């Protein structure tokens, strides 16, 4: 029965959810991005009922998300934006690999005015596995799409729905691979119903709409790299990247944004030379607490893990 007239658009990008292995028992030796998004949907029992309305499918890419490229992000953002502005579309589901899902979620969250739900669905087992998790994750994504008030960029995996800011892959093998850290997920999907633990709303959505315009005219993307603080760190990596023409640097600092003095000095030199530098922490939980005497020289990227701080800096530089 169709209760919602608006279309749900499913954009395929590849990933393990579309992966194929040689044998059903092989959960890791597969090739990601092999099954077309229409075939993925056709293999899910009860999908039409769960959708509660028409489903339209587009294959944006067919890649392993470890190989995510800016051109795929650009194509995905453009199509999402067009569909969000189309009154006949009520929601978007994106099938995506788990490896860089959190980066794509943060990217889309930043560039889209997502008044409708944009739900990333993934899997940790290939489509050929004895027990693939993709079909249930797709059904759960549709449950999220149809949940009252759902909006914004969201990610669904293993029965939980996460917000774009917090979602992070925490495990390389477990089916329940994602976490939202200390705050927990936004909610859970149980038998087709969403039990919300937190509000859907997320701050800052669409702040980089200008970047989307630049992406639409195919402006070149800036180069932003990530460096890390660790025992015995030096400034050599930073100096080499500066010589190589990098435009922005994100540093995964230790603890509360602390840096080896040699790395700190190199980052300050880089900043003085005109590079944009942002400090994050390599700690998986919490966020750097600003301490004027310690963090005055280099700006923090509050509350963002290094890979998401890099996405934000990329977009900041694109907007500039
Ligand atoms: N390497 C795969 C990908 O990110 C992993 C997965 O989807 O689980 O596409």
């Amino acid at each position: 029965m169709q209760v919602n007239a608006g279309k749900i658009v499913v954009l395929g990008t590849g990933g393990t959810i579309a992966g194929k292995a040689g044998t059903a028992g092989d959960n890791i030796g597969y090739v990601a991005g092999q099954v077309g998004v229409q075939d993925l949907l056709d293999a899910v029992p009860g999908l039409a009922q769960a959708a509660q309305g028409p489903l339209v499918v587009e294959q944006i890419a067919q890649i392993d998300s470890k190989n995510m490229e800016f051109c795929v992000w650009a194509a995905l953002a453009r199509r999402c934006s067009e569909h969000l502005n189309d009154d006949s579309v009520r929601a978007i589901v994106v099938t995506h690999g788990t490896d860089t899902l959190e980066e794509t979620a943060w990217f889309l969250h930043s560039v889209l005015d997502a008044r409708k739900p944009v739900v990333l669905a993934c899997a940790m087992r290939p489509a050929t596995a004895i027990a693939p998790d993709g079909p249930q994750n797709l059904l759960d994504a549709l449950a999220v799409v149809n949940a009252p008030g759902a909006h914004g960029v969201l990610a669904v995996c293993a029965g939980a729905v996460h917000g774009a800011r917090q979602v992070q892959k925490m495990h390389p093998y477990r089916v329940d691979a994602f976490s939202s850290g200390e705050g927990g997920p936004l909610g859970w999907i149980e038998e087709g119903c969403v039990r919300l633990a937190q509000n859907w709303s997320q701050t800052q959505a669409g702040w980089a709409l200008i970047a989307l315009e630049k992406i639409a005219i195919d402006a070149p993307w800036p180069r932003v790299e990530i460096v890390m603080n660790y025992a015995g760190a030096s400034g050599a990596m930073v100096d080499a990247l500066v010589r190589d023409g990098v435009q922005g640097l994100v540093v995964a600092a230790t603890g509360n944004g602390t840096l080896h003095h040699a790395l700190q000095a190199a980052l300050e030199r880089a900043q003085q030379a005109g590079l944009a530098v942002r400090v994050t922490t390599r700690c998986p939980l919490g966020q750097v607490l600003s301490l004027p005497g310690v963090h005055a020289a280099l700006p923090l990227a509050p509350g963002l893990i290094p890979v998401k701080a890099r996405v934000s800096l990329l977009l900041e530089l694109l907007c500039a």
Side-chain angles (χ1 to χ4, degrees):
M1 186 182 63
Q2 294 193 353
V3 294
N4 287 305
K7 286 183 283 193
I8 299 172
V9 178
V10 185
L11 304 177
T13 70
T16 294
I17 191 168
K20 272 185 173 177
T23 61
D26 189 351
N27 287 320
I28 56 172
Y30 59 86
V31 181
Q34 299 299 300
V35 184
V37 63
Q38 182 66 62
D39 290 341
L40 280 185
L41 297 188
D42 289 346
V44 182
L47 192 90
Q49 204 184 1
Q52 300 181 17
L55 282 168
V56 177
V57 160
E58 280 177 37
Q59 193 80 50
I60 298 288
Q62 189 60 297
I63 60 167
D64 186 318
S65 82
K66 73 180 175 63
N67 298 322
M68 184 53 70
E69 297 284 356
F70 294 148
C71 60
V72 177
W73 272 0
L76 185 59
R78 270 181 223 149
R79 288 309 283 146
C80 283
S81 174
E82 283 158 9
H83 287 305
L84 287 171
N85 289 326
D86 179 346
D87 289 341
S88 72
V89 173
R90 67 185 164 94
I92 300 169
V93 172
V94 179
T95 58
H96 198 289
T98 59
D99 286 348
T100 57
L101 180 141
E102 65 221 44
E103 293 173 59
T104 299
W106 185 243
F107 165 69
L108 292 177
H109 172 78
S110 303
V111 299
L112 297 177
D113 181 12
R115 294 145 289 150
K116 304 169 188 175
V118 178
V119 184
L120 276 70
C122 60
M124 288 296 288
R125 301 287 176 264
T128 48
I130 293 170
D133 51 330
Q136 186 63 56
N137 288 343
L138 280 169
L139 287 173
D140 288 351
L142 293 173
V144 168
V145 155
N146 287 319
H151 65 275
V153 179
L154 307 161
V156 163
C157 187
V161 53
H162 302 271
R165 175 178 272 271
Q166 304 297 345
V167 68
Q168 187 176 1
K169 187 172 181 180
M170 301 298 266
H171 204 284
Y173 181 72
R174 259 183 8 212
V175 168
D176 189 4
F178 286 88
S179 166
S180 284
E182 293 164 311
L186 295 181
W188 299 272
I189 306 104
E190 297 159 340
E191 299 296 304
C193 292
V194 176
R195 178 163 57 96
L196 267 190
Q198 306 179 43
N199 200 297
W200 293 113
S201 298
Q202 299 178 273
T203 54
Q204 262 198 334
W207 69 269
L209 280 170
I210 300 168
L212 191 56
E213 287 166 23
K214 298 255 177 105
I215 291 166
I217 56 164
D218 286 327
W221 287 64
R223 181 164 164 222
V224 177
E225 302 286 356
I226 300 175
V227 294
M228 189 184 264
N229 193 46
Y230 37 72
S234 75
M237 193 81 87
V238 169
D239 292 339
L241 286 167
V242 172
R243 280 196 302 276
D244 205 37
V246 75
Q247 286 138 296
L249 285 171
V250 169
V251 55
T254 30
N256 195 39
T258 56
L259 293 166
H260 187 289
H261 60 83
L263 180 55
Q264 170 100 26
L267 288 165
E268 288 185 26
R269 280 197 302 278
Q271 187 174 252
Q272 277 152 20
L275 264 80
V277 178
R278 298 289 180 271
V279 178
T280 62
T281 178
R282 66 181 215 187
C283 294
L285 299 177
Q287 67 179 63
V288 177
L289 301 174
S290 175
L291 199 56
V294 176
H295 300 124
L298 300 168
L300 299 174
L304 293 179
I305 57 172
V307 291
K308 291 187 191 178
R310 175 176 175 269
V311 171
S312 289
L313 187 51
L314 280 166
L315 295 173
E316 252 183 80
L317 294 174
L318 259 178
C319 287

